[in-house]
Amino acid sequence: MKFIELRSDTFTLPTAGMRDAMLAAPLGDDVFGEDPSVLALEEKLAKMFQKEAALFCPSGTMSNQMAISATVSKGQEVICDELSHIYLYEGGGIMANAGASVKLLKGDLGRLTKSQIEAAISPDDIHACESAMVSLENTVNKGGGSVYSSESLDEISSFCRANAIPLHLDGARIFNAMAVTGQSPADFGGWFDSISICLSKGLGAPVGSVLVGDTSFIKKAKRVRKRLGGGWRQAGMLAVAGIYALDYQVDRLKEDHQRAKAIAEICEKLDWVQNTLPVVTNIVIVKIQPGLNSSSQVALLAQKGIKCAPFGAEYIRFVTHLGFDDDDLNLFEQRIKSSIIS
Ligand SMILES: *Cc1c(COP(=O)(O)O)cnc(C)c1O
């Protein structure tokens, strides 16, 4: 049986065009700063987001952690939403890598407001843990792919700038957010001091994330990358996959969003589903009926050839991506409707 893969958009495989481009990539030693393909990718993203510099690294976790360690000192704190990837899913890296604390806020589907942030900044008092970074996530993975409005980002950015608090964006799925709102990379470059961008999620590259920021920040981040063991050599084949993704696989993200909406509509009619979180991008989070357990539901769906992920005990997550087309959507509908699950 052909499995329908909806656990994550990280399951995408390089397309034929991407593989060809990778094989043809000019290469060099990136630790010496001599891989032309890596340099081209970094320059492309720095220019796109209108930042001075960029740094290519193996994962989104590493690019977030580089940004935190390059910005926040031991004993200071990062302010973020309680659903943040940097807090929940990076192995305690804020503490382990930067020696920093974290102040968690409860936002709306993972989105914070300027007033919440304002109220959370530590007072200028020797007893307090000094607030040294605000980190937002967009789209919010655990918020079901929720996105920030431009108005909200204008307010938060102006506030942080006026108070000299560095503002970081975990933009693992930033291109999904832009596909919905029409905001541009330059808008984000204006709002944020640092942005991490994943190439290996919806964009469909096999590996890689890029951190953008100003030159002195990226220099510090590069030292952190080396310390974390992320200095790499002929990484250009991966960089070229990223360039290919940016050139050819951004416009199609809208299709993923449409198919995600279709999945939510199908799921809402199932008797074992209570409701779905609002679908804005490529993530569908389904709440199952009380008394059911997400892991057992996921196991039952796997028997029907549908792979999805438990998201806590009461929720199941489906993520659409370039490996899931309209035929797969039809097959998904047939299979999930035939699932007698209780
Ligand atoms: C996937 C993801 C990351 C980074 O993931 P890696 O697997 O380390 O590349 C960071 N933030 C968010 C919101 C993510 O979804």
Side-chain angles (χ1 to χ4, degrees):
M1 179 165 52
K2 180 190 176 235
F3 275 103
I4 297 172
E5 181 58 78
L6 292 165
R7 282 175 293 173
S8 175
D9 47 9
T10 56
F11 282 91
T12 50
L13 295 172
T15 52
M18 182 181 281
R19 285 174 198 253
D20 289 346
M22 289 170 78
L23 281 176
L27 302 174
D29 188 333
D30 181 54
V31 174
F32 284 79
E34 290 183 14
D35 187 299
S37 302
V38 171
L39 294 172
L41 171 67
E42 291 173 345
E43 197 180 312
K44 186 179 176 73
L45 277 165
K47 209 175 247 173
M48 198 185 271
F49 282 81
Q50 292 184 15
K51 286 295 192 198
E52 289 171 2
L55 186 60
F56 184 40
C57 77
S59 71
T61 298
M62 192 182 283
S63 60
N64 283 328
Q65 291 298 318
M66 289 189 309
I68 294 165
S69 288
T71 307
V72 181
S73 303
K74 191 172 150 189
Q76 297 182 321
E77 73 179 10
V78 176
I79 294 175
C80 64
D81 186 88
E82 63 181 4
L83 301 182
S84 299
H85 192 282
I86 60 163
Y87 169 69
L88 289 177
Y89 302 124
E90 300 192 1
I94 298 175
M95 179 277 289
N97 299 320
S101 182
V102 59
K103 191 180 274 165
L104 295 178
L105 307 182
K106 199 181 187 66
D108 166 31
L109 296 174
R111 292 164 301 185
L112 301 178
T113 63
K114 178 235 155 197
S115 333
Q116 276 183 300
I117 293 167
E118 186 169 16
I121 302 282
S122 296
D124 183 11
D125 175 331
I126 56 159
H127 299 85
C129 181
E130 204 181 343
S131 308
M133 177 189 257
V134 171
S135 178
L136 307 184
E137 189 172 308
N138 195 21
T139 70
V140 185
N141 178 6
K142 228 180 164 193
S146 58
V147 304
Y148 276 88
S149 70
S150 297
E151 295 69 37
S152 179
L153 292 174
D154 275 339
E155 279 183 17
I156 295 172
S157 175
S158 307
F159 171 78
C160 288
R161 202 145 290 162
N163 290 277
I165 306 241
L167 181 59
H168 174 69
L169 176 65
D170 177 351
R173 296 190 178 82
I174 188 62
F175 282 92
N176 291 91
M178 291 189 282
V180 172
T181 60
Q183 297 153 340
S184 72
D187 291 333
F188 283 93
W191 284 317
F192 291 89
D193 297 294
S194 54
I195 306 172
S196 65
I197 302 147
C198 279
L199 301 166
S200 65
K201 300 259 163 99
L203 294 185
V207 172
S209 173
V210 174
L211 181 65
V212 298
D214 69 26
T215 310
S216 63
F217 164 79
I218 290 295
K219 191 171 170 208
K220 283 188 208 158
K222 204 163 188 174
R223 189 183 288 273
V224 178
R225 186 183 70 172
K226 188 68 188 154
R227 186 190 297 147
L228 294 172
W232 46 2
R233 304 294 176 182
Q234 286 73 18
M237 291 173 102
L238 298 170
V240 158
I243 293 172
Y244 185 92
L246 292 166
D247 287 343
Y248 300 107
Q249 297 182 169
V250 170
D251 287 347
R252 57 158 310 287
L253 290 173
K254 291 194 180 97
E255 293 177 30
D256 295 343
H257 299 173
Q258 284 159 5
R259 293 187 190 109
K261 284 204 171 84
I263 286 180
E265 280 167 25
I266 293 165
C267 287
E268 271 165 4
K269 292 183 196 130
L270 302 170
D271 54 9
W272 54 271
V273 168
Q274 189 170 83
N275 63 287
T276 61
L277 295 192
V279 176
V280 188
T281 53
N282 68 329
I283 300 176
V284 184
I285 297 186
V286 169
K287 185 161 197 198
I288 59 179
Q289 292 289 2
L292 299 179
N293 173 275
S294 63
S295 298
S296 348
Q297 293 303 111
V298 165
L300 287 163
L301 288 170
Q303 286 173 16
K304 295 275 170 190
I306 297 169
K307 290 194 182 181
C308 53
F311 220 51
E314 300 171 348
Y315 294 91
I316 295 176
R317 188 183 78 162
F318 301 93
V319 187
T320 57
H321 52 76
L322 59 78
F324 178 80
D325 62 16
D326 285 333
D327 291 341
D328 295 320
L329 179 62
N330 289 333
L331 194 57
F332 170 85
E333 184 168 17
Q334 285 166 28
R335 285 181 181 175
I336 205 157
K337 279 185 173 163
S338 75
S339 59
I340 303 158
I341 298 174
S342 57

